[in-house]
Amino acid sequence: RLDVPLCVVATVAAAPLRDVRGADTAGMMLTWTVEEFFAYSKTVWKTVVRRRPETVSLLYPLMAWIFQEPSVELRRQAHEVAMAAVRAEEVDLVGGRDRCAVDVLGAVLTVLRPPSAATERGLFYTPPDIADLMVRLSDVEHIGLVEDPAMGTGGMFRAAAVAMREAGRDPRSIQWVGCDIDEMAVACATVNSMIWGLGEDILFYAGDILLTPDWKTIARERRDELRTLAADIERYQALFGLLEG
């Protein structure tokens, strides 16, 4: 299964280089037990859901297993993956200033996917250097939207964000629109949009655009519906709190 290792790598990617006391995060994580890491993982994804409720449907294939009371053995395996990621210096790689320099989730997904995925579903990922070259040929100083109808884990978005920052622009100032037939890749792209600081104006869709020509409309309606629902829930919770008080 792909969801557990990808989710674990994404969870580790959320860790800063140092905690609030200035202690080395990676060193601390290496001391965690299975249950301590699992509790941390739950906290991370609950925080993501609260802060970005419109991404829940996109992230569900990646994070659902955490909230489905996984077995002790599955938790142990997730812990082993986490410790391997930390020992491989993922925290240093993704937690520093060069967060946009690499697509860790894309690399992991490419390795885990069977070779048959490329021929059966047409899953071919653009190498980072090619993505960088394509973006250099574009006018990143004036664009207001970046769209990739076969985005994978968002490699083109990463390259565009790097070029925009080099040109003195903030990637959070534009819209990012993407689709892919692979829902796990879309989930990874959603996580990457947070790692790379693309902002909240993302419009992603998991599905076959050849069969769903109005995918942008569907994605926008779904995003807006989740945002409205989250706002309603927060409002009702505040009301109930006042009543109970």
Side-chain angles (χ1 to χ4, degrees):
R1 56 190 298 173
L2 301 175
D3 55 343
V4 176
L6 282 169
C7 181
V8 169
V9 171
T11 302
V12 174
L17 285 174
R18 300 190 178 279
D19 66 9
V20 293
R21 297 166 298 181
D24 176 57
T25 302
M28 179 179 63
M29 294 179 78
L30 287 172
T31 68
W32 285 354
T33 65
V34 171
E35 292 307 316
E36 286 173 333
F37 176 74
F38 185 72
Y40 171 76
S41 300
K42 262 194 169 182
T43 299
V44 167
W45 293 102
K46 283 181 179 179
T47 301
V48 170
V49 170
R50 283 197 299 267
R51 293 183 178 178
R52 300 289 302 280
E54 76 279 7
T55 64
V56 171
S57 61
L58 301 171
L59 294 173
Y60 183 81
L62 189 72
M63 67 175 183
W65 69 276
I66 289 183
F67 302 100
Q68 296 172 347
E69 296 302 322
S71 66
V72 174
E73 177 61 17
L74 190 57
R75 297 186 192 195
R76 184 189 64 78
Q77 293 172 350
H79 179 260
E80 288 187 4
V81 173
M83 296 304 103
V86 174
R87 286 192 293 269
E89 301 182 355
E90 184 195 345
V91 176
D92 294 329
L93 182 65
V94 184
R97 295 181 178 179
D98 297 329
R99 298 174 71 88
C100 273
V102 64
D103 177 8
V104 174
L105 292 175
V108 173
L109 182 59
T110 301
V111 170
L112 294 179
R113 280 287 187 207
S116 59
T119 54
E120 291 177 359
R121 305 191 68 185
L123 300 178
F124 298 94
Y125 290 92
T126 306
D129 53 345
I130 300 299
D132 291 336
L133 176 61
M134 292 174 66
V135 167
R136 302 299 174 187
L137 299 176
S138 305
D139 184 12
V140 296
E141 295 186 9
H142 302 99
I143 57 173
L145 176 148
V146 175
E147 180 175 335
D148 188 349
M151 66 177 177
T153 55
M156 290 295 295
F157 295 155
R158 179 203 62 77
V162 170
M164 286 185 66
R165 288 192 172 98
E166 290 178 354
R169 295 195 64 192
D170 187 347
R172 294 174 298 179
S173 65
I174 71 169
Q175 185 178 52
W176 305 85
V177 180
C179 175
D180 201 275
I181 195 172
D182 185 346
E183 63 176 10
M184 196 61 70
V186 173
C188 290
T190 304
V191 174
N192 278 334
S193 74
M194 301 174 191
I195 294 175
W196 299 332
L198 303 187
E200 298 186 11
D201 195 3
I202 66 168
L203 192 66
F204 291 171
Y205 179 78
D208 190 338
I209 61 174
L210 298 179
L211 301 178
T212 316
D214 58 341
W215 63 273
K216 294 180 190 177
T217 300
I218 296 174
R220 185 174 293 105
E221 290 175 349
R222 186 175 299 167
R223 182 190 65 180
D224 295 345
E225 181 182 3
L226 286 170
R227 283 176 173 171
T228 301
L229 178 61
D232 288 343
I233 291 175
E234 185 176 356
R235 187 160 51 247
Y236 290 141
Q237 286 178 336
L239 177 60
F240 292 148
L242 288 174
L243 293 174
E244 290 176 357

